[in-house]
């Protein structure tokens, strides 16, 4: 068969970018085992995908929907799954709000006490003169 290029298929899609996305997605599906709708003729999957698009053996809407499904990250079969997740998150929020305020205050005091005892050194604390002798600066 004659050689096929992107120019042969560009009239099927509004932009080259969309055409390339759809064709590459179809080529991946062919590689994963889907049956081609045109003769193979010892061609690679990308050429077969472009030939399918040029011959319109698959509709553009079907190709677009396949691409969208490929890139969707969340797929819930039923709304019940979503409702179940929301119910579980509501229960965990209710359980997490029962924190003792005395415990929080004690933790804050512990943090404040430990930070008072730690000396903090800065770059200005350790100065060197031109002879390379370190001088300690008092704050």
């Amino acid at each position: 068969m004659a050689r096929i290029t992107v120019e042969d298929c560009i009239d099927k899609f509004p932009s080259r970018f969309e055409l390339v996305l759809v064709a590459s997605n179809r080529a991946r599906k062919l590689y994963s085992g889907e049956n081609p709708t045109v003769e193979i003729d010892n061609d690679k999957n990308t050429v077969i995908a472009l030939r399918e698009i040029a011959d319109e053996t698959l509709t553009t809407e079907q190709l677009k929907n396949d691409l969208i499904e490929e890139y969707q990250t969340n797929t819930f079969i039923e709304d019940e799954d979503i409702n179940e997740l929301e119910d579980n998150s509501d229960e965990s929020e209710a359980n997490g709000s029962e924190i003792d305020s005395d415990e929080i205050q004690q933790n804050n005091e512990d943090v404040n006490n430990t930070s008072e005892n730690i000396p903090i050194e800065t770059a200005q604390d350790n100065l060197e003169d031109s002879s390379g002798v370190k001088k300690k600066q008092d704050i």
Side-chain angles (χ1 to χ4, degrees), residues 23 35 47 50 63-64 66 74 78 80 82 92-93 98 109 137-138:
N35 294 326
V47 174
L50 287 172
L63 291 168
K64 286 180 185 180
D66 287 345
N74 294 336
E78 297 180 50
E80 293 176 6
I82 296 171
S92 65
E93 287 176 4
E98 300 174 5
E109 290 173 1
Q137 182 181 12
D138 293 330

Side-chain angles (χ1 to χ4, degrees), residues 6-118:
V6 173
E7 282 78 24
D8 299 328
C9 305
I10 197 65
D11 59 338
K12 311 294 188 269
F13 290 93
S15 70
R16 288 176 181 257
F17 180 72
E18 188 174 354
L19 171 64
V20 170
L21 285 175
V22 169
S24 64
N25 186 52
R26 180 64 185 153
R28 282 192 299 271
K29 289 191 177 282
L30 290 169
Y31 179 76
S32 67
E34 282 194 19
N35 294 326
T37 57
V38 294
E39 291 182 29
I40 297 175
D41 292 335
N42 200 23
D43 290 327
K44 295 183 179 180
N45 291 330
T46 53
V47 174
I48 295 170
L50 287 172
R51 285 184 32 223
E52 287 178 339
I53 293 169
D55 293 345
E56 295 181 352
T57 58
L58 299 171
T59 65
T60 57
E61 289 302 314
Q62 183 181 6
L63 291 168
K64 286 180 185 180
N65 288 337
D66 287 345
L67 179 66
I68 290 169
E69 288 175 7
E70 187 74 27
Y71 285 103
Q72 284 180 334
T73 55
N74 294 336
T75 54
F76 290 103
I77 298 173
E78 297 180 50
D79 289 335
E80 293 176 6
D81 293 340
I82 296 171
N83 293 337
E84 183 179 324
L85 290 173
E86 289 174 355
D87 292 342
N88 289 341
S89 66
D90 290 342
E91 289 175 7
S92 65
E93 287 176 4
N95 292 339
S97 64
E98 300 174 5
I99 299 174
D100 188 15
S101 62
D102 292 335
E103 183 178 341
I104 293 173
Q105 184 177 0
Q106 179 64 33
N107 288 340
N108 287 340
E109 290 173 1
D110 291 343
V111 169
N112 290 336
N113 290 338
T114 56
S115 64
E116 291 173 359
N117 299 333
I118 300 173

